[in-house]
Amino acid sequence: MLNQTLRQEAEAARQGYAVTTGFKWMLSQRAGRHWPWFVEICRDFGVRLVFLLRRNAARQLVSRLLNAEDKARAQAGGLRHSAHPNSESRLDELRSRRVTFRRDQVLEQLQDMREKWDELERLRLYALARGVPSARVVYEDVDADHSLVGNLSDFLLADVGAEERANCAAAFASRPPPQGHEKIHTSSLEDVIVNFKEVWHLLHNTPWRHCLAEEPHPPPDPGAVVDASSSLYGSNSRPCWEPPGHFGD
């Protein structure tokens, strides 16, 4: 896929027009294993990297478990699983489901998510140290303030001239509106986790207790810097197991 992207951009350059392409690469697709090679390509071709994370590991675990259950139900019924409901009844069905955290697995599952966060941050810092602009974006920050998408655009278009930016804006405006995606797992953790009290007592004396609290975070600063050496949205981009003053503050 990367080679195809680079060929498309090279062909566009030969024909005298600019093209911007993006793609998603997940840790489960062995991103870390190939990272040194990939970062060299990013540096040579001016690629900018965005690392997307979820702050709340407990809520991410809820989504992971419910999605896995829904996929298993779909396969058992000979249906095709889709993460995006195509009807109100389907949306209501998904939102009504609840999940039970297994006491013997929950700490291991949360620790696995923490290790993935740490791995992504290690990859980001590796790329930064080699001159590749790399920003961290946290889902909860963007969900709380959609205007921050503008900061992301500024970061991605930092090397683009004014005329090319205007062309990009015109091209984007001419496209049909994207199909909306409804949020599915919107209930509080206390409502969606069947054995919430048991889990709360299990995690109460661990760093994970902050993830269950779901305390509101102050909105990120709309003027947060977007240079390559910083998190895109500043100090609010800490994981839920780290209280204020321990991560990025």
Side-chain angles (χ1 to χ4, degrees):
M1 181 173 62
L2 178 60
N3 289 335
Q4 180 181 358
T5 297
L6 295 177
R7 285 197 300 269
Q8 290 174 344
E9 294 191 354
E11 179 62 25
R14 280 194 294 269
Q15 297 185 27
Y17 64 89
V19 61
T20 300
T21 305
F23 61 91
K24 179 173 67 175
W25 196 7
M26 304 177 71
L27 281 180
S28 59
Q29 296 170 314
R30 297 186 176 182
R33 177 178 178 180
H34 302 286
W35 200 245
W37 163 81
F38 178 68
V39 168
E40 286 186 17
I41 292 178
C42 291
R43 184 181 56 208
D44 293 344
F45 286 88
V47 176
R48 288 176 167 259
L49 302 177
V50 176
F51 292 78
L52 178 64
L53 305 99
R54 288 285 300 267
R55 175 187 292 117
N56 195 314
R59 183 160 286 283
Q60 184 176 359
L61 181 55
V62 164
S63 295
R64 178 185 291 184
L65 294 175
L66 287 175
N67 286 338
E69 288 181 6
D70 186 67
K71 184 176 182 179
R73 288 190 186 96
Q75 291 176 341
L79 303 175
R80 182 177 180 274
H81 169 70
S82 174
H84 305 295
N86 54 10
S87 68
E88 287 296 326
S89 60
R90 172 68 171 151
L91 180 62
D92 291 341
E93 175 196 358
L94 292 175
R95 284 179 172 169
S96 68
R97 290 183 178 165
R98 305 175 72 201
V99 66
T100 299
F101 279 5
R102 289 187 53 177
R103 184 182 180 91
D104 61 333
Q105 294 182 353
V106 63
L107 286 173
E108 180 181 349
Q109 290 169 328
L110 291 172
Q111 180 61 29
D112 177 67
M113 292 184 185
R114 179 173 185 166
E115 291 173 358
K116 284 182 169 56
W117 179 297
D118 291 342
E119 173 72 357
L120 283 170
E121 184 65 2
R122 184 186 69 79
L123 297 179
R124 187 180 77 91
L125 294 177
Y126 180 95
L128 276 176
R130 286 150 183 82
V132 177
S134 308
R136 182 175 62 239
V137 181
V138 176
Y139 168 83
E140 286 86 349
D141 290 346
V142 181
D143 188 47
D145 185 357
H146 294 180
S147 66
L148 291 175
V149 175
N151 285 24
L152 179 57
S153 296
D154 290 340
F155 171 77
L156 293 174
L157 298 175
D159 300 326
V160 177
E163 182 178 351
E164 288 179 305
R165 283 190 182 221
N167 291 336
C168 287
F172 183 80
S174 66
R175 295 172 58 187
Q179 292 184 341
H181 293 305
E182 296 285 349
K183 294 171 62 176
I184 298 176
H185 308 134
T186 57
S187 301
S188 69
L189 290 174
E190 188 171 3
D191 289 336
V192 77
I193 299 175
V194 174
N195 57 334
F196 180 84
K197 290 185 178 179
E198 177 187 10
V199 175
W200 188 90
H201 286 293
L202 175 65
L203 304 182
H204 181 61
N205 293 319
T206 74
W208 310 108
R209 66 186 182 277
H210 301 288
C211 302
L212 291 179
E214 288 196 295
E215 296 176 357
H217 293 267
D221 178 6
V225 293
V226 293
D227 61 50
S229 62
S230 69
S231 302
L232 194 58
Y233 299 138
S235 61
N236 288 322
S237 298
R238 61 177 176 268
C240 63
W241 57 85
E242 296 285 5
H246 285 73
F247 191 93
D249 291 346

